[in-house]
Amino acid sequence: MRPSKGDTQSAKGGIVLDPELFSTNDRGAHQWYDLVKLQGRFYVAYVEGSFGQDHVALLRPTELPAGVAAITVDYRYQFSVPRRQTFGPEGQARKVELRPALQSTLEAALARYASGRPAPALAQACPAPAGASEDEAARYAGFGPVHYSMETAADFPFHWQGHCHLAQLNTWFGRYDRSSGLFNQLKVRRADRDEEGLEYEVLARRRFLKASVVP
């Protein structure tokens, strides 16, 4: 919700709304609303989701100022990598059973780099060899930006069989389902190879960490 000319200031002073109250965007964001009843009153709960945090604004559409309160809800994630993975496009997919050591290495890296809010991207995830050109060094840096419909939760390295690998965990702005968990995409490739790499299936469950009132 961005301020614009003619906006209305909330009772808390922390939320600024235009006369349309709020809007949702199905592309490049994770936003929704629901009707809730608190202490005998009905409110519109407007939620802006992201990886590790939801921002919730309680609104009274029939009153001015409409903004009543806002809170942020923080989460942490626990990841598990299934032993059986499927790689490749449909029609050419191949099933692979991961070695237990690789499975635990991936899970440990996810726990270290991606359990909470998105961390700043590492300038160089894997060290480039001495004398590498600018283009070669960029290959060791990371996967780079993703499509605007997704949010990068973490870019991180992990080492396997003596090689530095690049990994990138992306989510649809924290979109979460009780049965399926966090909707995500984990891409992995060896830093010293010019290839697209593999996309791993990852299961992620979140747990409530804290809720804070936005001043």
Side-chain angles (χ1 to χ4, degrees), residues 42-213:
F42 287 97
Y43 299 86
V44 174
Y46 170 79
V47 184
E48 290 188 89
S50 60
F51 179 77
Q53 186 179 85
D54 287 337
H55 182 277
V56 185
L58 296 178
L59 311 173
R60 293 295 303 277
T62 59
E63 296 183 6
L64 288 176
V68 176
I71 62 174
T72 56
V73 182
D74 292 280
Y75 309 95
R76 289 187 71 82
Y77 298 90
Q78 182 173 1
F79 297 93
S80 60
V81 179
R83 180 74 56 83
R84 294 180 179 178
Q85 296 282 334
T86 302
F87 300 127
E90 188 175 351
Q92 303 177 22
R94 55 189 177 91
K95 296 185 181 297
V96 175
E97 185 156 334
L98 301 183
R99 297 182 185 180
L102 174 57
Q103 182 186 28
S104 61
T105 297
L106 282 169
E107 290 176 344
L110 285 164
R112 177 180 178 183
Y113 292 102
S115 60
R117 294 285 292 143
L122 299 173
Q124 192 76 29
C126 290
S133 67
E134 185 175 340
D135 289 343
E136 290 173 333
R139 192 169 69 240
Y140 286 77
F143 276 94
V146 296
H147 191 266
Y148 71 88
S149 63
M150 304 181 76
E151 171 189 30
T152 296
D155 276 298
F156 58 93
F158 78 93
H159 293 269
W160 173 246
Q161 294 184 333
H163 299 282
C164 185
H165 289 67
L166 301 168
Q168 184 180 74
L169 179 69
N170 300 309
T171 79
W172 281 262
F173 290 89
R175 192 176 297 273
Y176 189 89
D177 181 82
R178 287 186 178 181
S179 60
S180 303
L182 178 73
F183 292 88
N184 68 85
Q185 173 196 70
L186 178 66
K187 299 189 297 184
V188 174
R189 68 173 174 84
R190 259 179 61 169
D192 60 349
R193 291 182 177 175
D194 189 11
E195 57 185 21
E196 292 186 4
L198 299 174
E199 186 174 320
Y200 284 76
E201 178 188 357
V202 175
L203 305 178
R205 294 291 174 182
R206 72 183 185 188
R207 64 178 178 85
F208 171 80
L209 186 61
K210 65 177 181 178
S212 307
V213 177

Side-chain angles (χ1 to χ4, degrees), residues 4-8 17-22:
S4 62
K5 186 176 180 181
D7 288 339
T8 302
L17 302 170
D18 64 24
E20 294 182 351
L21 194 64
F22 67 89

